[in-house]
């Protein structure tokens, strides 16, 4: 490869950037206009650590959109078709966000910090513009902005021990997606049981960007006894676990998908009395029924290398969907992938194929997740 992507001023550096450089980061991607580590040079070892030990990830690119003010709860509910009426202060929720036509434009974790204060911990799209514009157009009393908040994830079966060593045994009682405002050596942060893996763990939402280096070192020091190592959200593990990646699995325009297609039907409260963006369109989609569905795939042949996806999914000469990401899973001894496929193509049972750079490969549908987590 005779090209590289340079580090420039248009893309933001995370508060952990220098710490990850010092610890040997080898590649970055860009997410929410911010560099996010890809690998520290040992993808296999980083995967094994996540599965059997503990890893620390710079996920500051999971930016927060804060809603603060008398109409914050009203805005939060208007932004998502998921019912928030039973969400308590200190609780997080996975909330699909749709546009007015019912297509997904983000799938954040919502944190309710107070009755009048929320964070949307967003996937890779500019939700701050969307939410801010809706609030202003409606004349609601709520400030919408990106606060100085930068998550650091601790993931893996030993993540709880590391986090307890840092904060105390109370963290062991924290329920999934619940969080607490706390501090570490004077560094203000929100501690949540969450993270983009199914191996268990926590996310430390740093609330002072000038302390990124300090927080990274504190976690590294407490984790040393558990052989913690740096890593990044892992494509193989997320495919095995069936975790959704907005931007890869669906995206506004090019690869649009509805919450029904993505399997979020049970998260929608379309019969509740509250109004939300896209409600009419979603009711229409529900009445019309969904043709496409999210599915896993097992891809035949030798181990796939690299990541050629997104790929058109073919049945004979007809395009019947697309595969958004593929990888070879050693744990499953199989090539796996996820995508969206016409239900009718599955009913027919006729052979499916994708075209990899080296040639066509047959594949068959598989249910998600491929593998269990913790
Ligand atoms: N943590 C935080 N912010 C995030 C992510 C995260 N922002 C970007 C991205 N990830 C948002 N998307 C997701 C997608 C899946 C999950 C969380 C955020 C997830 N899903 C579980 C599952 O699918 O099994 C649980 C969903 C549920 O119980 O409702 O965890 O990871 N801070």
């Amino acid at each position: 490869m005779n090209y590289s992507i340079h580090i420039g001023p248009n893309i933001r550096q995370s508060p952990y950037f220098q710490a990850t450089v010092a610890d040997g980061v080898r590649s970055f991607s860009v997410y929410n206009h911010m560099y996010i580590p890809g690998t520290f040079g040992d993808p296999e070892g980083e995967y094994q650590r996540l599965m059997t030990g503990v890893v620390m990830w710079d996920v500051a690119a999971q930016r927060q959109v804060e809603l603060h003010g008398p109409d914050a709860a009203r805005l939060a509910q208007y932004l998502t078709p998921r019912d928030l009426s039973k969400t308590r202060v200190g609780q997080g929720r996975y909330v699909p966000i749709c546009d007015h036509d019912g297509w997904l434009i983000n799938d954040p974790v919502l944190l309710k910090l107070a009755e009048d204060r929320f964070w949307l911990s967003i996937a890779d799209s500019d939700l701050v513009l969307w939410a801010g514009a809706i609030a202003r157009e409606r004349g609601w009393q709520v400030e919408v902005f990106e606060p100085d908040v930068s998550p650091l994830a601790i993931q893996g079966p030993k993540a709880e021990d590391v986090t307890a060593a840092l904060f105390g045994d109370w963290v062991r009682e924290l329920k999934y997606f619940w969080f607490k405002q706390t501090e570490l050596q004077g560094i203000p942060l929100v501690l949540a049981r969450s993270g983009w893996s199914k191996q268990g763990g926590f996310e430390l939402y740093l609330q002072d960007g000038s302390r990124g280096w300090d927080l990274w070192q504190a976690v590294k020091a407490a984790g040393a006894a558990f052989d913690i190592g740096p890593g990044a959200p892992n494509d193989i593990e997320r495919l095995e676990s069936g975790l959704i990646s907005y931007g890869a699995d669906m995206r506004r325009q090019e690869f649009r998908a509805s919450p029904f297609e993505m399997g979020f039907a049970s998260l929608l409260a379309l019969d509740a009395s509250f109004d939300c963006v896209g409600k009419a369109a979603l009711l229409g989609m529900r009445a019309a029924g969904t043709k496409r569905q999210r599915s896993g795939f097992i891809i035949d042949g030798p181990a796939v290398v690299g990541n050629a996806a997104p790929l058109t999914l073919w049945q004979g000469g007809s395009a019947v969907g697309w595969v958004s990401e593929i990888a070879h899973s050693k744990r499953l001894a199989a090539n796996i992938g996820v995508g969206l496929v016409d239900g009718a193509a599955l009913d027919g049972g006729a052979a499916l194929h994708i075209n990899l750079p080296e040639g066509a490969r047959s594949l068959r549908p598989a249910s998600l997740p491929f593998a269990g987590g913790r």
Side-chain angles (χ1 to χ4, degrees):
M1 190 162 74
N2 62 358
Y3 55 84
S4 68
I5 294 177
H6 73 272
I7 302 292
N10 291 54
I11 311 295
R12 301 179 287 180
Q13 296 183 8
S14 123
Y16 312 113
F17 186 87
Q18 294 305 338
T20 62
V21 169
D23 281 355
V25 67
R26 291 283 298 279
S27 73
F28 290 99
S29 186
V30 174
Y31 193 92
N32 284 321
H33 314 282
M34 182 175 277
Y35 296 107
I36 181 168
T39 180
F40 288 73
D42 179 15
E44 179 77 34
E46 289 160 29
Y47 173 87
Q48 285 306 333
R49 258 217 180 84
L50 168 62
M51 302 307 291
T52 62
V54 55
V55 288
M56 55 192 290
W57 298 347
D58 168 2
V59 285
Q62 295 171 358
R63 302 310 292 166
Q64 309 305 300
V65 174
E66 180 161 333
L67 319 178
H68 193 184
D71 287 326
R74 192 178 185 187
L75 177 61
Q77 183 60 89
Y78 189 64
L79 290 172
T80 180
R82 185 163 188 183
D83 184 2
L84 301 178
S85 62
K86 296 198 173 61
T87 305
R88 312 235 310 265
V89 171
Q91 192 176 11
R93 286 256 197 240
Y94 185 46
V95 293
I97 308 275
C98 297
D99 67 14
H100 296 82
D101 298 320
W103 304 110
L104 287 160
I105 57 167
N106 210 297
D107 66 333
V109 178
L110 175 81
L111 292 86
K112 182 170 179 175
L113 297 150
E115 293 300 336
D116 67 348
R117 188 167 169 238
F118 298 79
W119 286 343
L120 287 158
S121 186
I122 61 171
D124 190 16
S125 75
D126 295 320
L127 212 62
V128 69
L129 301 177
W130 178 263
I134 287 172
R136 289 297 287 264
E137 289 291 314
R138 299 233 144 209
W140 288 345
Q141 281 184 58
V142 51
E143 284 191 66
V144 179
F145 59 100
E146 188 184 296
D148 175 7
V149 173
S150 300
L152 187 167
I154 306 176
Q155 300 285 296
K158 296 181 183 166
E160 188 175 291
D161 290 335
V162 172
T163 309
L166 282 163
F167 295 94
D169 275 330
W170 65 267
V171 306
R172 299 185 192 278
E173 311 306 322
L174 203 58
K175 285 180 285 187
Y176 188 64
F177 271 179
W178 285 69
F179 62 87
K180 235 185 117 154
Q181 175 79 55
T182 179
E183 54 101 35
L184 186 72
Q185 301 165 15
I187 307 171
L189 57 87
V190 161
L191 173 62
R193 189 187 284 272
S194 55
W196 205 61
S197 87
K198 279 290 177 186
Q199 307 315 312
F202 297 82
E203 290 179 302
L204 281 44
Y205 291 73
L206 169 66
Q207 287 176 283
D208 176 354
S210 73
R211 307 294 305 276
W213 175 274
D214 300 340
L215 182 60
W216 185 271
Q217 302 313 326
V219 173
K220 190 175 161 184
F226 303 92
D227 191 34
I228 201 169
N234 190 286
D235 287 335
I236 298 172
E237 192 275 342
R238 84 97 180 172
L239 286 171
E240 293 170 345
S241 299
L243 285 173
I244 287 170
S245 176
Y246 177 85
D249 296 343
M250 73 292 199
R251 187 187 310 174
R252 199 168 193 224
Q253 305 228 327
E254 306 105 295
F255 300 116
R256 69 185 189 185
S258 76
F260 299 104
E261 293 171 326
M262 293 307 288
F264 295 155
S266 66
L267 300 184
L268 312 181
L270 299 177
D271 299 314
S273 58
F274 69 84
D275 193 15
C276 64
V277 176
K279 184 163 184 172
L282 290 165
L283 283 167
M285 284 174 173
R286 187 173 72 175
T290 297
K291 204 170 115 208
R292 296 188 307 175
Q293 65 191 68
R294 177 171 156 80
S295 179
F297 296 97
I298 303 274
I299 302 136
D300 294 336
V304 294
V305 286
N307 189 352
L311 299 157
T312 301
L313 181 62
W314 298 94
Q315 190 168 48
S318 314
V320 294
W322 60 286
V323 175
S324 55
E325 189 167 4
I326 59 175
H328 182 72
S329 163
K330 285 199 176 152
R331 176 158 58 132
L332 301 162
N335 295 314
I336 59 175
V338 295
L340 279 180
V341 57
D342 282 352
L346 298 184
D347 297 340
L352 301 168
H353 75 272
I354 50 175
N355 293 318
L356 293 183
E358 67 270 21
R361 288 277 185 107
S362 56
L363 70 171
R364 52 211 141 83
S367 56
L368 291 169
F370 288 101
R374 295 167 60 84

